[in-house]
Amino acid sequence: MRTTPHQESAPRTVILGVAASDSHAVANHLIAYSLRGLGFDVVNLGTCTPVEEFAEACAQYPDAEAVVIGSLNGHVHEDLRGLDRAKQSGRITCPVVVGGNLSVGSHKDASSLDRLYATGVDHILSDPAELPALLDELRAARDRSAVTSGMAAS
Amino acid sequence: MRTTPHQESAPRTVILGVAASDSHAVANHLIAYSLRGLGFDVVNLGTCTPVEEFAEACAQYPDAEAVVIGSLNGHVHEDLRGLDRAKQSGRITCPVVVGGNLSVGSHKDASSLDRLYATGVDHILSDPAELPALLDELRAARDRSAVTSGMAAS
Amino acid sequence: MSLTSLPPLGAGARTPRRPAEGDGNPATLPTPAESAAYITSLGKLTAAEVLDRCRAQGRVAIQPRCGVGGHEEMKALLATLEAEAAPDILTLTIDSHTRLLRFEEALRTLNLRPADLNGYPLVAHGWRRGREINELLAAPLEIRHGSPDARILFDVSVASGITSFEGGGISYNLPYSKAVPLADSLGAWQDVDRRCGELADHGVVIDRELFGTLTAVLVPPSISLAISVLEAVLAARAGVRCISVAYPQGGHLAQDVAALRSIPVLAERYLPAGVTVHAVLHEFMGVFPRERAHAEDLILYGALVARLGGASKLITKTHQEAYGIPDTAANVEGLRLADRANSPLLDFIKVDQNQVAEEMEWILAEVADLVEPLLERADLPEAIGQAFAQGRLDIPFSASRYARSDLIPRRDAAGAIRYLSTGALPFSATHLRRNEELLNAVDGPEPGFDTLMQGLTGDINHFRHVFQEEEPAAKPRPLIRPHSHPRTQRTEERT
Amino acid sequence: MSLTSLPPLGAGARTPRRPAEGDGNPATLPTPAESAAYITSLGKLTAAEVLDRCRAQGRVAIQPRCGVGGHEEMKALLATLEAEAAPDILTLTIDSHTRLLRFEEALRTLNLRPADLNGYPLVAHGWRRGREINELLAAPLEIRHGSPDARILFDVSVASGITSFEGGGISYNLPYSKAVPLADSLGAWQDVDRRCGELADHGVVIDRELFGTLTAVLVPPSISLAISVLEAVLAARAGVRCISVAYPQGGHLAQDVAALRSIPVLAERYLPAGVTVHAVLHEFMGVFPRERAHAEDLILYGALVARLGGASKLITKTHQEAYGIPDTAANVEGLRLADRANSPLLDFIKVDQNQVAEEMEWILAEVADLVEPLLERADLPEAIGQAFAQGRLDIPFSASRYARSDLIPRRDAAGAIRYLSTGALPFSATHLRRNEELLNAVDGPEPGFDTLMQGLTGDINHFRHVFQEEEPAAKPRPLIRPHSHPRTQRTEERT
Ligand code: B12
Ligand code: B12
């Protein structure tokens, strides 16, 4: 049932973590379990993970398909400060997915999401159940661009 | 212990009632009991008493020292419409005392009291416990004016 | 001993005059068949249906009191209550001019200062506005008022598509007017009930709530329930199919729960099988504590009583009760707080079953003593009028001269409402003895006038005492003593 | 079986740097003696005194969580809470940069967008502003935070005249940071506790609340209490005189009441006589229902649990809990609602004594299993660190790599929190068997990975289920299946 047979020997790697000032662990534990349950190789950096630490993990796992960051405590903007620089400097090259509770307060508006996109976040999800589908899409897009750039043997 | 010995044979009469659209009876019952307990002759017209009925009672009890009207349902202004006319035409000559809950709503201000004074109410009390003292004052004032006008034998 | 303070006879009952304006005029009103068709076409649940559904779900339906004079203000009030607290049933509380057929006064105040009205003058506004309100809201509406003669109001309500109507020939007379003979009010309400029967034939069941709350202050449960039984029997005979028996929270848990649980028993005992009967609790209807926290404690307590008593519906109060007609926010808050008692997390809250069973036994026996002799009579309305005239039925603190108020209630040491004096109520010797024993524990065997007045006032202010709220200023000593030996006729009242 | 998902070792603990600005700088701070004198001169009750008074009155003290970034906003928030809900104790909830010694980030956000802070950055604001806040309010204040190393924050708090301080070397480490060794946090908190002893010598008793809530989600009572016992023993040894043991409402009435009632027993058993110990309930700390009515039901339920459990204090939640930091109005409403459980009208509400006694017996025995071997050790901090490393102490869903999270909690059929897996916890065979029996009833003897994940998620979302709130959208089928046979090391985790 694999649509990408050339990937057989390389498990799909995802880097997971919670933003720098944030110690909310439960969703992080559960997302890691369930991605692993689906067969992903999850590099879970856990709670309180600064951008720098995500960048280091990218260096260590160059095949990672995405960096998936949770943030619940409302500090996501300050906590992801530097993400744009890490991307510009090529230290984080794979897509960055963010989810959780993305502003302080009970009355949410879209501006906090706009600010996140401006910081270098590529995708924002509200429900972790949407993660597998998004990872699949990202993977397909990457495979397509690899084909386009003549790097894939079909 | 009577300070007004000439009154010995005439008990002090008070006309009591609740305003025209108002059926709140409990305070009326209690005020009647307690004034009677103090020795007053209470002509209690009870609930739902229009100004006209107070005026008729005044005619029937010309010695009445006061007309005491309770109103709780907030309708006191409409219910006392005509009081000024009844006073101007001399059908109600004794002082009119009003108490209870004197406007609609939970946020009270003094304007409703001003409107009542303008309608011909002479005294507004908040607590029925203040009634005996007020009745005594009114009585004393009446005695004084009777003396002044040479009507009292001392 | 009597504390009765009847007004002198004389001022007669007002005869119903048709209102000068509005659509109350019968010529312009839709026929019952048209109104029934309109109600069906509305496609919303009737009050009776909502009550059935709530009972089936084990949920106590909640309903506010609410009424303001202006039409737009009334719409805004109801729409806000629905949006923010989603009560199961909504209310049009009618102003007290309209209640007493003072349609001109209602209309004048509406035109001059609508905010001066203590309710919505539906007759003055007319049934088209009633429909406009009804169509604005998802919940069905009830008319709550206090009219000894509610025929015009009823017609306008039904034309407005309103499916629940409070009142009864006794309960909307004695607490709400001074000089309407019971024969008149019972007759007027028989008309209303018959019209309900007619509407039922057209397929629309009107919920008829009986105002067991009566004069609200220290009403003994058996008095409330006995009067409701009589009104319910009359209503059922006239064709009413859905009857809500309202009982006012008295403040003693077991007694209140017992009273509520007595309602289905009484229905089974005294009413024909085809009639649906719901128990309704009116949250404490006497003197409310003044501090917000205390008022809220009482509101929640009342709602728990409704749950434990198995009521189908609860009429709520607000933390502004002691002050005046509440603002919208307070009304929303009262509804929300009361609804907490519907929480699925509170199944563990129980009431002492033995205590409830004991209270129920007494209540049912006292009700039997009161109603059974009357139900045997061929002309029930006549029997009721005579019973009140002779004190075989009675209520405390009557607003009307057609009840004697020889009945003097007191609270026993535990706060339950008992009879200090039963006047001429036909209670068995056992009941009388029980009441006496319970109250002797409070004031001793022969309380004097001052003790009695103090005790009664204390009982009226029960919840203010529970919450240790400051007393109103102590009685100042009179400057001039009035006549010091009261006349003989008054002396009677002092012993 | 393990669900552990530890982050790779590497990123070390942050070493405390003094903040760049504010009055946190030790040079500018008043001495403990000066702070004590200031506190005395304030003339307000300390938190410890308020707790004593409430306990004496049989009232559960109520206290909000509240913290916003800006100073004026914080003042307005607290003043409004006090004016409108009069909580017994007020709170400064600290932002999570400050908690983690990220003083620069706190200061930057404060300067750029104070509303982006999830709490009040007291260190950045400095103790003079702390005093200004303190002097504005009648109620004493507590600092609620989550700092593995709270020494600087403590000094600023005391200088601000604040008389209650939450935290502990375990409970403010494992749920609140990833990479701070327990030895470090225990050491830092020993410093804090010693300073409390010093202040007590100056006549000011600081209430030290231990954060038994831990990771808040499905924390078994015996874990919470065992960790609090250890922290309490350390605190008492360091000179703390007033200890509040906080327990997080788990959702099962008898279990929660038993846990609260265990606190005085544990204090008696494990703490020296001179220490005052209060039981504190944290209203449900897990996933809150989203609908306002449901959230409010849970808030009231929690408050009733505090009353029934004999707690001295309750930390409240709001109906906005599921969404984000509440606005002032929601906070006021949460406090008011919780305070209803202090109603004198609710004395009739009882809890099943037998069930509570049974739960208490198990809780006390499990706590004994966990703490007694450690309390025998000469170096308690070292013993604690080792126990966590070896899984003889553990917490579920640890944020920190210094707990194994081999412990897997589940709810039994009645909703009580049990151990599906105890990892290396030194429980007696009887306890293990009881847990197993209780949970077999739920999932059968050997639940697979999917069953387990579903069950666990269901348990986490317990109250959303109780209220039948709609589930978040069902898991969509992935478009591309990832590698279908996971590597061996992962397979282990699936069985
Ligand atoms: C019991 C009660 C009833 C009973 C009355 C039974 C009866 N026939 O007596 C029932 C249920 C029938 C009832 C009906 C209504 N009621 Co009512 N009722 C009350 C309640 C709960 C207690 C009143 C009471 O008996 N108190 C005990 C007695 C001893 O005290 P009191 O009446 O409060 O009076 C005190 C003072 O006002 C003062 N006082 C009273 N009269 C006088 C007279 C003088 C001269 C003086 C000096 C002082 C004085 O002394 C008393 C002791 O301190 C009050 C709310 C409350 N207080 O908690 C509402 C209340 C008075 N009712 C109110 C209303 C509006 C009504 C209705 C119009 C219905 C409606 N729209 O909501 C109808 C009245 C219909 C009509 N035609 O008038 C409002 C008044 C609102 C306002 N002013 O803004 C109140 C405040 C409730 C509320 N918050 O909405 N009611
Ligand atoms: C449990 C809890 C805690 C525990 C956490 C224990 C631990 N270490 O894990 C404790 C008590 C320690 C805690 C502490 C704090 N908390 Co907290 N906490 C919660 C609570 C009650 C539940 C969170 C939880 O575990 N849910 C279960 C998991 C499975 O779901 P979840 O985390 O809600 O995540 C869901 C989605 O957000 C999404 N999601 C999450 N991560 C990701 C990632 C990706 C990539 C995607 C796609 C989706 C996704 O999927 C999940 C399932 O639907 C929530 C409120 C609530 N929801 O009821 C507050 C809450 C998240 N906490 C909050 C805050 C602010 C804090 C504190 C900062 C204290 C404070 N100032 O109030 C500290 C954090 C300190 C720090 N350094 O971060 C706020 C956030 C406020 C805001 N954004 O406006 C909340 C909403 C409470 C509130 N209403 O104020 N908290």
Side-chain angles (χ1 to χ4, degrees):
Chain A
M1 240 226 70
R2 294 186 306 276
T3 52
T4 50
H6 57 286
Q7 287 292 321
E8 182 143 33
S9 55
R12 298 173 57 184
T13 300
V14 172
I15 294 168
L16 180 68
V18 180
S21 77
D22 198 332
S23 71
H24 286 93
V26 183
N28 173 267
H29 280 243
L30 295 180
I31 293 170
Y33 300 157
S34 83
L35 288 180
R36 285 176 186 151
L38 291 171
F40 284 96
D41 191 4
V42 179
V43 178
N44 190 2
L45 305 175
T47 64
C48 300
T49 303
V51 171
E52 184 51 33
E53 206 177 325
F54 284 111
E56 284 164 15
C58 285
Q60 214 183 324
Y61 301 91
D63 283 342
E65 297 182 10
V67 171
V68 178
I69 305 177
S71 169
L72 288 154
N73 70 4
H75 279 187
V76 70
H77 302 101
E78 170 64 30
D79 283 354
L80 292 191
R81 226 172 43 95
L83 178 64
D84 45 359
R85 263 173 290 127
K87 291 186 87 177
Q88 282 151 21
S89 63
R91 305 189 59 222
I92 296 180
T93 51
C94 59
V96 173
V97 182
V98 165
N101 190 330
L102 301 175
S103 65
V104 165
S106 296
H107 308 282
K108 306 296 186 189
D109 64 42
S111 71
S112 67
L113 307 189
D114 297 341
R115 285 167 69 199
L116 278 179
Y117 287 124
T119 312
V121 171
D122 300 293
H123 299 276
I124 301 173
L125 293 183
S126 58
D127 186 349
E130 302 162 345
L131 261 180
L134 175 63
L135 291 173
D136 284 352
E137 272 174 42
L138 295 178
R139 174 54 185 255
R142 172 163 127 172
D143 290 348
R144 272 196 306 279
S145 78
V147 171
T148 316
S149 54
M151 281 166 64
S154 69
Chain B
M1 239 224 75
R2 296 185 306 277
T3 53
T4 50
H6 58 287
Q7 287 291 320
E8 181 145 32
S9 51
R12 296 174 57 184
T13 301
V14 172
I15 295 169
L16 180 68
V18 180
S21 78
D22 197 330
S23 70
H24 286 94
V26 183
N28 173 267
H29 279 243
L30 295 181
I31 292 170
Y33 301 156
S34 82
L35 288 180
R36 285 176 188 152
L38 290 172
F40 284 96
D41 191 5
V42 179
V43 178
N44 190 1
L45 305 175
T47 64
C48 300
T49 302
V51 170
E52 183 51 32
E53 208 177 323
F54 284 111
E56 284 163 18
C58 285
Q60 214 183 326
Y61 301 90
D63 282 342
E65 296 180 11
V67 171
V68 178
I69 306 177
S71 169
L72 289 155
N73 71 4
H75 279 188
V76 69
H77 302 100
E78 170 63 31
D79 283 354
L80 292 191
R81 225 174 43 98
L83 179 64
D84 45 0
R85 263 172 290 127
K87 292 185 85 178
Q88 282 150 20
S89 64
R91 303 190 60 222
I92 296 180
T93 50
C94 59
V96 174
V97 182
V98 165
N101 190 328
L102 302 176
S103 66
V104 165
S106 296
H107 308 283
K108 307 297 185 188
D109 63 41
S111 71
S112 66
L113 307 189
D114 297 341
R115 285 167 68 200
L116 278 180
Y117 287 124
T119 313
V121 171
D122 299 294
H123 299 276
I124 301 175
L125 293 183
S126 58
D127 185 347
E130 301 162 345
L131 260 180
L134 175 62
L135 290 173
D136 285 351
E137 273 174 42
L138 295 178
R139 174 55 186 255
R142 173 162 126 171
D143 290 346
R144 271 196 305 279
S145 77
V147 170
T148 315
S149 55
M151 281 165 66
S154 67
Chain C
M1 185 187 68
S2 166
L3 285 176
T4 312
S5 148
L6 291 181
L9 286 161
R14 201 139 165 163
T15 39
R17 287 166 306 168
R18 294 285 157 183
E21 276 190 39
D23 311 317
N25 193 312
T28 72
L29 279 173
T31 64
E34 284 164 354
S35 291
Y38 169 69
I39 290 171
T40 313
S41 77
L42 264 176
K44 44 192 249 187
L45 293 182
T46 63
E49 286 163 343
V50 167
L51 290 171
D52 284 343
R53 197 186 51 179
C54 284
R55 177 148 67 185
Q57 292 171 348
R59 165 181 171 76
V60 182
I62 56 166
Q63 180 181 345
R65 293 188 165 74
C66 51
V68 289
H71 181 59
E72 292 309 318
E73 290 79 359
M74 189 74 217
K75 278 162 57 184
L77 169 57
L78 289 167
T80 308
L81 292 179
E82 181 150 269
E84 295 191 9
D88 302 273
I89 298 178
L90 277 162
T91 297
L92 284 185
T93 297
I94 305 300
D95 71 290
S96 50
H97 294 306
T98 301
R99 293 167 183 224
L100 292 165
L101 308 174
R102 295 162 56 89
F103 297 120
E104 274 164 31
E105 288 84 349
L107 188 61
R108 182 171 44 237
T109 312
L110 177 61
N111 289 333
L112 292 177
R113 283 175 169 263
D116 267 12
L117 286 165
N118 59 17
Y120 183 78
L122 177 62
V123 174
H125 283 299
W127 60 274
R128 287 192 178 81
R129 289 195 181 162
R131 287 192 176 185
E132 191 190 332
I133 287 178
N134 203 354
E135 290 166 20
L136 192 72
L137 306 160
L141 286 153
E142 177 174 39
I143 301 289
R144 307 185 69 83
H145 51 123
S147 310
D149 177 352
R151 287 170 295 184
I152 297 169
L153 181 62
F154 181 81
D155 291 344
V156 179
S157 304
V158 170
S160 305
I162 289 171
T163 53
S164 178
F165 198 77
E166 191 183 36
I170 307 166
S171 63
Y172 261 16
N173 176 339
L174 304 181
Y176 280 110
S177 62
K178 171 162 76 174
V180 179
L182 278 162
D184 294 2
S185 59
L186 286 164
W189 280 92
Q190 283 290 91
D191 282 354
V192 165
D193 288 341
R194 270 191 290 267
R195 285 177 220 181
C196 289
E198 211 177 312
L199 285 159
D201 295 340
H202 291 296
V204 170
V205 172
I206 301 289
D207 166 50
R208 281 275 295 102
E209 182 174 340
L210 310 177
F211 188 67
T213 285
L214 300 169
T215 36
V217 172
L218 298 178
V219 178
S222 51
I223 289 294
S224 164
L225 294 174
I227 290 174
S228 285
V229 165
L230 296 170
E231 289 185 342
V233 167
L234 288 170
R237 287 183 189 164
V240 171
R241 309 276 173 88
C242 176
I243 297 176
S244 288
V245 174
Y247 165 81
Q249 182 188 11
H252 181 272
L253 179 68
Q255 188 177 46
D256 288 334
V257 168
L260 286 171
R261 292 188 186 170
S262 296
I263 291 170
V265 181
L266 293 168
E268 175 79 15
R269 207 172 270 183
Y270 300 114
L271 294 180
V275 178
T276 304
V277 174
H278 291 282
V280 171
L281 184 72
H282 290 185
E283 269 178 10
F284 188 67
M285 291 291 289
V287 174
F288 240 67
R290 305 193 137 250
E291 278 185 41
R292 176 170 181 164
H294 302 161
E296 291 185 337
D297 280 355
L298 185 50
I299 288 168
L300 178 63
Y301 181 52
L304 289 170
V305 168
R307 176 192 180 116
L308 293 165
S312 299
K313 187 173 86 170
L314 174 73
I315 306 293
T316 60
K317 289 249 156 160
T318 79
H319 65 82
Q320 292 173 348
E321 172 64 15
Y323 296 96
I325 292 187
D327 55 35
T328 311
N331 218 331
V332 165
E333 288 159 340
L335 285 163
R336 278 205 190 116
L337 180 56
D339 198 27
R340 301 287 67 74
N342 276 317
S343 167
L345 305 175
L346 301 184
D347 282 340
F348 73 94
I349 298 183
K350 301 278 187 287
V351 59
D352 184 324
Q353 299 292 348
N354 294 334
Q355 232 190 320
V356 170
E358 194 194 325
E359 290 292 339
M360 241 177 106
E361 208 180 296
W362 289 107
I363 289 172
L364 291 170
E366 288 175 4
V367 172
D369 286 350
L370 294 170
V371 304
E372 290 185 3
L374 304 176
L375 291 176
E376 283 164 12
R377 297 270 300 274
D379 187 340
L380 183 53
E382 187 193 70
I384 291 170
Q386 286 171 0
F388 275 107
Q390 295 164 5
R392 284 180 289 110
L393 282 176
D394 202 359
I395 62 168
F397 306 112
S398 179
S400 165
R401 64 187 53 157
Y402 294 102
R404 290 164 52 156
S405 287
D406 287 343
L407 181 181
I408 306 177
R410 282 298 310 274
R411 291 188 188 274
D412 69 17
I417 298 172
R418 309 294 177 195
Y419 298 85
L420 180 67
S421 154
T422 51
L425 296 177
F427 283 154
S428 73
T430 346
H431 297 157
L432 294 178
R433 208 169 324 108
R434 175 170 174 263
N435 263 294
E436 230 171 88
E437 279 165 18
L438 285 166
L439 290 181
N440 276 354
V442 178
D443 276 342
E446 287 278 336
F449 176 84
D450 283 352
T451 314
L452 173 58
M453 279 298 291
Q454 251 178 12
L456 203 54
T457 311
D459 288 347
I460 291 171
N461 290 308
H462 179 66
F463 281 108
R464 300 201 58 201
H465 293 305
V466 165
F467 291 107
Q468 305 178 306
E469 290 190 354
E470 213 189 307
E471 277 312 283
K475 204 171 212 160
R477 206 184 215 285
L479 302 181
I480 306 177
R481 302 265 324 165
H483 201 282
S484 64
H485 44 92
R487 291 178 309 166
T488 341
Q489 82 196 71
R490 302 296 165 210
T491 312
E492 275 168 30
E493 292 183 20
R494 300 182 93 187
T495 47
Chain D
M1 186 187 68
S2 168
L3 285 176
T4 311
S5 145
L6 290 182
L9 286 163
R14 201 143 168 159
T15 39
R17 289 166 304 171
R18 294 284 159 184
E21 277 191 38
D23 310 318
N25 195 310
T28 73
L29 278 173
T31 65
E34 284 164 354
S35 291
Y38 168 69
I39 291 170
T40 313
S41 77
L42 263 176
K44 39 193 254 190
L45 294 181
T46 63
E49 287 163 343
V50 166
L51 291 171
D52 284 342
R53 197 185 49 178
C54 284
R55 176 149 67 184
Q57 292 171 346
R59 164 181 173 76
V60 182
I62 56 168
Q63 181 182 343
R65 290 186 168 75
C66 51
V68 289
H71 182 60
E72 293 307 320
E73 290 80 358
M74 189 73 217
K75 278 162 55 186
L77 169 57
L78 289 167
T80 308
L81 292 179
E82 180 150 89
E84 295 190 10
D88 302 273
I89 298 177
L90 278 162
T91 297
L92 284 186
T93 297
I94 305 299
D95 72 291
S96 51
H97 295 305
T98 301
R99 294 169 183 221
L100 293 165
L101 307 174
R102 296 162 56 90
F103 298 120
E104 275 164 31
E105 288 83 350
L107 189 60
R108 182 171 43 238
T109 312
L110 176 63
N111 289 333
L112 291 177
R113 282 176 169 262
D116 268 12
L117 286 166
N118 60 18
Y120 183 77
L122 177 62
V123 174
H125 284 298
W127 60 274
R128 287 194 178 82
R129 288 194 182 163
R131 287 192 178 186
E132 191 190 332
I133 287 177
N134 204 352
E135 290 166 19
L136 192 71
L137 305 159
L141 287 152
E142 177 174 39
I143 302 288
R144 307 185 69 82
H145 52 122
S147 310
D149 177 352
R151 286 170 295 185
I152 295 170
L153 181 61
F154 181 81
D155 290 344
V156 179
S157 303
V158 169
S160 305
I162 289 171
T163 53
S164 178
F165 197 78
E166 192 183 36
I170 308 167
S171 63
Y172 262 16
N173 177 341
L174 304 180
Y176 281 110
S177 62
K178 170 162 75 174
V180 179
L182 277 162
D184 294 2
S185 59
L186 286 165
W189 279 92
Q190 284 288 94
D191 283 353
V192 165
D193 288 342
R194 269 191 290 268
R195 286 179 219 181
C196 290
E198 209 176 313
L199 284 160
D201 295 339
H202 291 296
V204 169
V205 172
I206 301 287
D207 166 51
R208 281 276 295 103
E209 183 174 339
L210 310 176
F211 188 67
T213 286
L214 300 168
T215 36
V217 172
L218 299 177
V219 177
S222 51
I223 289 294
S224 164
L225 294 174
I227 289 175
S228 285
V229 165
L230 296 170
E231 289 186 342
V233 167
L234 288 170
R237 287 184 189 164
V240 171
R241 308 274 173 91
C242 177
I243 297 176
S244 289
V245 174
Y247 165 82
Q249 182 188 12
H252 182 270
L253 180 68
Q255 189 177 45
D256 289 334
V257 168
L260 285 171
R261 293 188 187 169
S262 297
I263 291 169
V265 181
L266 294 168
E268 175 80 17
R269 206 172 271 184
Y270 300 114
L271 292 180
V275 178
T276 303
V277 174
H278 292 281
V280 171
L281 184 73
H282 289 183
E283 269 178 9
F284 188 67
M285 291 291 290
V287 174
F288 238 69
R290 306 192 137 250
E291 278 185 42
R292 174 168 183 165
H294 303 160
E296 290 185 337
D297 280 356
L298 185 49
I299 288 168
L300 179 63
Y301 181 51
L304 289 171
V305 168
R307 176 192 180 114
L308 292 166
S312 299
K313 188 173 86 170
L314 173 74
I315 307 293
T316 61
K317 289 248 158 163
T318 79
H319 66 81
Q320 292 173 348
E321 172 63 16
Y323 297 97
I325 292 188
D327 56 33
T328 311
N331 218 330
V332 165
E333 288 158 342
L335 285 163
R336 277 204 191 118
L337 180 55
D339 197 27
R340 298 288 66 73
N342 276 317
S343 167
L345 304 175
L346 301 184
D347 283 338
F348 74 94
I349 298 183
K350 301 276 186 291
V351 59
D352 184 323
Q353 299 292 346
N354 294 335
Q355 230 188 321
V356 170
E358 194 193 325
E359 289 294 339
M360 243 178 104
E361 207 180 296
W362 289 106
I363 289 172
L364 290 170
E366 288 175 6
V367 172
D369 286 351
L370 294 170
V371 304
E372 289 184 1
L374 304 176
L375 291 176
E376 284 163 12
R377 296 270 300 274
D379 187 340
L380 183 53
E382 187 194 70
I384 292 169
Q386 287 172 358
F388 275 105
Q390 296 164 5
R392 286 181 287 111
L393 282 175
D394 203 358
I395 60 167
F397 306 112
S398 180
S400 165
R401 64 188 52 155
Y402 294 102
R404 290 163 54 155
S405 286
D406 286 343
L407 181 180
I408 306 177
R410 283 297 312 273
R411 290 187 189 274
D412 70 16
I417 299 171
R418 310 293 178 195
Y419 298 85
L420 180 67
S421 154
T422 52
L425 296 177
F427 283 153
S428 72
T430 346
H431 297 158
L432 294 177
R433 209 169 325 110
R434 173 169 176 264
N435 263 294
E436 230 172 85
E437 280 166 16
L438 285 166
L439 291 181
N440 276 355
V442 178
D443 276 342
E446 286 278 335
F449 177 84
D450 283 351
T451 314
L452 175 58
M453 279 299 290
Q454 253 179 10
L456 204 53
T457 311
D459 288 346
I460 290 172
N461 290 307
H462 179 66
F463 281 109
R464 300 200 58 201
H465 294 304
V466 166
F467 292 106
Q468 304 179 307
E469 290 190 355
E470 214 189 307
E471 278 311 282
K475 205 170 214 166
R477 208 184 212 285
L479 303 179
I480 306 176
R481 301 264 328 163
H483 202 281
S484 64
H485 43 92
R487 293 177 305 168
T488 340
Q489 81 194 72
R490 300 296 166 212
T491 313
E492 277 169 26
E493 294 184 18
R494 298 182 95 186
T495 48

